Amino acid sequence: MIRVLLVEHTRLVRGAFAALLSREDDIEVVAEADGDGDVVARALACRPDVAVIDVDSRAGEDIAVRGELRARLPECRLLLVMASTTPERLRRMLDLHAAGVISTNAPPDRLVHGVRKLVRGQRFVDPEFALAALDAGANPLTPREVEVLRLTADGTPTREIAERLSLSVATVRNHLSAITRKTGGRNRIDAIRIAGESGWV
């Protein structure tokens, strides 16, 4: 049997996931958690093969990013559930701890398929997310340009950005010019919008 831990903050959705998975002859939902501090303890108690985690809740995101569950129970594979993602966020999740990512809009049988793939030692990325990542293309911005753009998007003045990143004001302006050119934006505001929609920041 494939032992599954469900981590979902909404009780109704969690119940639907549990009912769906429990219909399968080879899958058993051994524990459920709402993500508010009890996930690791439950996982250590029931030793699941797969943890299906909703990362759209703050608690779920923290679990995935901190990697606490993965660190303490490395044999447990993580399948992250999210309503939407960006290519950068998808890469970050897969680079960190997740073995799979699935959309909340996916057909029910895709969740079952994803769980089985993870148990076989394979990765699973929802086709919807994979296509979006391919369409977005590679990030043309350097890591430093991403830092500058993020601070600009937060409304940080140019001089303060320079101080925070230990750069001259002229260098920050040069970075902003390069960002606008690389994104194809008409101005800084447009560059922020394009980079955000493309998942580059």
Side-chain angles (χ1 to χ4, degrees), residues 5-25:
L5 164 66
L6 288 176
V7 182
E8 163 59 55
H9 65 291
T10 306
R11 186 176 298 176
L12 186 61
V13 175
R14 191 167 71 239
F17 282 172
L20 170 67
L21 293 171
S22 298
R23 289 187 320 193
E24 303 299 317
D25 294 336

Side-chain angles (χ1 to χ4, degrees), residues 24-169:
E24 303 299 317
D25 294 336
D26 60 338
I27 297 176
E28 179 186 6
V29 176
V30 293
E32 300 177 25
D34 60 14
D36 292 332
D38 58 345
V39 175
V40 175
R42 284 179 182 264
L44 290 173
C46 68
R47 317 295 291 191
D49 301 303
V50 178
V52 177
I53 302 175
D54 168 21
V55 294
D56 286 331
S57 70
R58 179 58 187 271
E61 178 87 15
D62 287 348
I63 292 164
V65 172
R66 285 201 315 265
E68 183 181 1
L69 178 57
R70 183 74 174 141
R72 298 190 62 182
L73 200 65
E75 66 271 23
C76 177
R77 309 269 285 168
L78 305 186
L79 179 58
L80 306 183
V81 182
M82 57 185 77
S84 62
T85 190
T86 64
E88 286 299 309
R89 186 187 185 206
L90 178 61
R91 281 191 284 270
R92 189 170 70 249
M93 291 296 181
L94 293 174
D95 287 344
L96 287 171
H97 314 289
V101 180
I102 188 169
S103 168
T104 53
N105 295 318
D109 61 342
R110 196 174 291 169
L111 176 62
V112 175
H113 177 64
V115 167
R116 288 181 177 140
K117 283 198 75 169
L118 266 58
V119 167
R120 292 197 296 267
Q122 300 171 328
R123 279 196 159 186
F124 177 78
V125 177
D126 194 296
E128 175 186 324
F129 292 155
L131 285 173
L134 288 172
D135 289 343
N139 188 345
L141 305 178
T142 66
R144 178 62 88 189
E145 287 167 349
V146 170
E147 286 181 303
V148 169
L149 189 59
R150 282 179 178 154
L151 288 170
T152 302
D154 288 341
T156 308
T158 303
R159 186 168 299 279
E160 186 177 338
I161 293 173
E163 291 173 359
R164 285 199 199 181
L165 301 180
S166 300
L167 301 172
S168 69
V169 171

